[in-house]
Amino acid sequence: MNRPSGVAAIGYGATPYYKRGQSPHAERKLLLMAIDEAARMGGIDAADIDGFVSYGADLEDGPRLTAPLGTKELRWSSLVWGGGGGGSAGAIAQAEAAILSSQAETVVVYRATAESTSGRLSSAVIQGVFGAQYRAHGIDSPVQALALRTQRILEGAGVPRSALSAIARASYFHANHNPGAVGEAIELTEEMYEQSRLVVDPVRLFDSSRENDAAAAIIFTSAERAKDLTDKPIHLLASAYGADGPRWGEMDENHEPYIASSQASAGRRIWARTGLGPSDIDVMQLYVNFTGPPVSAIIDLGFCTAESAGEFLTFENLIAPNGVLPINTSGGDMAEGFLHGMGNAVEAVRQLRGESSNPVPGAKTCFVSGGPISELSSAALFSTEPLD
Amino acid sequence: MANERDQVHPFSARVDAPYWDGLADGTLKIQRCDSCREWRWPADWRCGSCGSYDLGWEVVEPTGIVYSWIRTRQPFVAAYADLVPYVNVLVELPQAGGARLMGLLTGDTDDVEVGRRVVGNFQPASARTIDLPVLTWTLEAA
């Protein structure tokens, strides 16, 4: 049997982004509906999906889905271990590994979260995440830890505040054209950004994403099979996850380099595998839990340096259709809806299929950065064409 | 952020127990490898540089430099709600290989910025500090 030479996405599905706690459906039902939508688009029977991958301690493991999907054979079920949303593109890498090795043939990558199942964020996500070195001092929320790192990006590395606001404004600008995006009706101006309240200095309200109840899924198969199933296969050119050691991991704010996103390792391997580089990227989907981490990611991936970040990260450069590097063309984590990064990969496939609400004319490549400054990070590169 | 160090019981079995014991005695102790002399922080069971399991603790001056800082304006932590807004500093200890500690900044917080020198103050365990002795910090006169 010949092993596949490449992997492609054949379909995606996403539920609406409900306010946290307001989904009319249970978490698993949301997910099943997202998978069904992806299967319909991909021209397959959902029962033919034989691999399941998620990340970030998702509760919906593969064996919980096989009965309602009528799965004919389960061949792969895995979760990216560690890193929270940093594993968002790592789940894609596990799907790629499963397909290229012929462990599985049709793999769905997904994320689902609803308060009715996963509980309140304060108990499901926050409580117990931070160790004694944080909690003894009044630090027990992701925004506080990310604010420490963001402050160092600003005061330590000298990146101007305008880089953060450009990320936020580009996200909302794209959401303004995306019906159903949580930020559809918010036209974020520089003045609104500057006047928004400080939550944890230096992080303002408009520097922050807020989790939604939602589910999203992408179905992958071999590139060879994909072209028989859909006229719009989106090729996964490369994916990778990990981090550069030795001083990276769960280190109570002692990781080095401190303001890095942990994207350098995954990014380096993506460029090496594909022979492509930042100048070859037409569209970018960046993980934005807060606006500091995507600035680090852009620097780590080689699009600019800390010194040139202010010049490169401007609203005009980051918006579709004509920006130098349009980012988060659905509105992204911040303004479309926050599903711990899963929406970014969905938008990458959607954009390259020509179905984005903010199309980038002629876009052939889209980079997905799963890097929220976490212990483990990930990236994926999609294209309308396979590698030569 | 979540780590095994917080899941070891009893508390005295934690790898960083000597750190907390030191604070209770009014000394700041940081872990250091007995074999290669590298500072190890956060504390762990094995030296990532040389592979040794012989890790000791050294007393260092409770002074440092503000590496980063935040001002929390919402009551994310119930035990600190009455202090909102409060400032936390991430303090670099050059005398301990650049190890960094988090802590509350007390006294003048208006002039906090990256690079300012700070002095540590030993505080007894309290309900606010999850029953652990802690160091709080104050800005050294500029």
Side-chain angles (χ1 to χ4, degrees):
Chain A
M1 173 180 153
N2 290 330
R3 285 195 175 164
S5 61
V7 170
I10 55 172
Y12 59 85
T15 68
Y17 287 92
Y18 300 100
K19 282 192 172 172
R20 188 72 182 166
Q22 294 184 12
S23 166
H25 307 294
E27 183 174 283
R28 194 155 60 112
K29 186 176 176 189
L30 286 174
L31 176 55
L32 292 166
M33 292 190 295
I35 292 173
D36 263 327
E37 188 183 334
R40 276 193 299 273
M41 184 185 291
I44 62 162
D45 182 341
D48 288 325
I49 295 168
D50 56 10
F52 299 85
V53 187
S54 189
Y55 60 95
D58 199 288
L59 296 175
E60 304 299 338
D61 57 76
R64 295 186 71 181
L65 302 173
T66 50
L69 290 176
T71 302
K72 293 170 189 163
E73 184 186 14
L74 177 64
R75 290 166 59 173
W76 183 278
S77 178
S78 66
L79 183 77
V80 178
W81 204 4
S88 53
I92 293 169
Q94 292 192 350
E96 185 186 27
I99 294 165
L100 288 180
S101 63
S102 300
Q103 290 285 347
E105 191 172 37
T106 309
V107 181
V108 62
V109 171
Y110 57 90
R111 177 73 173 164
T113 183
E115 186 171 285
S116 58
T117 299
S118 295
R120 291 188 62 79
L121 282 172
S122 56
S123 55
V125 178
I126 297 169
Q127 194 172 52
V129 169
F130 293 94
Q133 288 285 354
Y134 293 87
R135 286 180 291 125
H137 307 297
I139 302 174
D140 197 13
S141 170
V143 63
Q144 293 172 297
L146 273 300
L148 273 173
R149 302 168 195 182
T150 300
Q151 184 74 276
R152 186 73 195 178
I153 294 170
L154 299 174
E155 269 193 29
V159 172
R161 162 72 76 165
S162 62
L164 306 188
S165 71
I167 299 274
R169 289 184 57 212
S171 296
Y172 276 93
F173 175 82
H174 291 141
N176 293 157
H177 307 130
N178 182 4
V182 298
E184 183 188 0
I186 300 171
E187 292 182 33
L188 182 61
T189 63
E190 194 65 28
E191 293 68 34
M192 281 167 65
Y193 173 85
E194 285 167 8
Q195 287 165 17
S196 68
R197 68 183 166 84
L198 285 156
V199 179
V200 179
D201 308 22
V203 173
R204 293 183 176 279
L205 185 65
F206 279 118
D207 289 310
S208 311
S209 293
R210 281 154 293 182
E211 275 107 335
N212 295 99
D213 283 1
I218 304 176
I219 296 173
F220 292 89
T221 190
S222 67
E224 289 81 357
R225 182 157 166 260
K227 68 177 189 307
D228 297 332
L229 292 168
T230 171
D231 57 355
K232 287 195 240 179
I234 300 303
H235 297 269
L236 177 64
L237 300 188
S239 59
Y241 69 108
D244 273 333
R247 291 196 61 82
W248 198 278
E250 295 177 344
M251 298 188 66
D252 295 342
E253 305 302 312
N254 279 265
H255 59 270
E256 292 289 351
Y258 186 66
I259 65 161
S261 65
S262 68
Q263 281 278 284
S265 161
R268 191 172 58 242
R269 282 178 279 144
I270 297 258
W271 301 140
R273 276 183 64 186
T274 60
L276 300 178
S279 63
D280 299 305
I281 302 307
D282 297 326
V283 193
M284 187 92 186
Q285 311 298 339
L286 288 163
Y287 196 105
V288 185
N289 46 356
F290 304 97
T291 54
V295 173
S296 295
I298 284 277
I299 293 169
D300 278 3
L301 292 167
F303 287 86
C304 66
T305 63
E307 291 70 30
S308 67
E311 198 180 322
F312 182 72
L313 295 171
T314 64
F315 175 70
E316 290 72 22
N317 277 354
L318 301 181
I319 59 169
N322 297 320
V324 174
L325 185 69
I327 65 158
N328 300 12
T329 45
S330 64
D333 299 320
M334 174 167 274
E336 182 189 32
F338 192 24
L339 188 52
H340 305 116
M342 191 64 214
N344 297 326
V346 167
E347 174 64 9
V349 177
R350 192 193 279 136
Q351 174 69 251
L352 293 176
R353 287 173 60 101
E355 297 160 357
S356 173
S357 46
N358 292 278
V360 175
K364 288 189 163 49
T365 57
C366 186
F367 195 103
V368 178
S369 164
I373 314 191
S374 54
E375 300 79 15
L376 168 155
S377 193
S378 58
L381 176 51
F382 289 94
S383 176
T384 52
E385 305 293 332
L387 277 177
D388 295 334
Chain B
M1 286 181 259
N3 58 53
E4 154 274 338
R5 289 184 294 275
D6 291 307
Q7 292 159 14
V8 174
H9 301 283
F11 194 86
S12 61
R14 291 165 55 108
V15 69
D16 62 349
Y19 168 80
W20 302 106
D21 290 346
L23 292 187
D25 295 339
T27 57
L28 172 58
K29 291 179 178 172
I30 300 293
Q31 195 185 40
R32 192 170 192 180
C33 178
D34 288 339
S35 297
C36 73
R37 306 299 294 151
E38 279 266 339
W39 294 93
R40 305 308 315 175
W41 196 256
D44 217 315
W45 301 111
R46 180 183 184 276
C47 175
S49 294
C50 75
S52 172
Y53 285 83
D54 296 323
L55 296 154
W57 291 82
E58 288 199 16
V59 175
V60 301
E61 275 295 300
T63 61
I65 296 165
V66 174
Y67 191 81
S68 192
W69 64 274
I70 55 174
R71 188 185 308 271
T72 296
R73 295 176 184 266
Q74 282 180 213
F76 291 109
V77 181
Y80 280 76
D82 60 309
L83 298 184
V84 168
Y86 58 90
V87 172
N88 289 110
V89 282
L90 179 62
V91 178
E92 181 181 28
L93 308 176
Q95 67 276 28
R100 296 192 288 258
L101 296 173
M102 283 171 271
L104 186 72
L105 185 72
T106 62
D108 168 30
T109 61
D110 292 343
D111 297 325
V112 63
E113 62 179 347
V114 169
R116 283 290 300 265
R117 293 197 60 83
V118 287
V119 181
N121 314 286
F122 294 94
Q123 305 290 344
S126 68
R128 195 195 293 287
T129 62
I130 55 170
D131 296 323
L132 292 169
V134 295
L135 270 179
T136 61
W137 302 87
T138 48
L139 292 175
E140 208 172 77

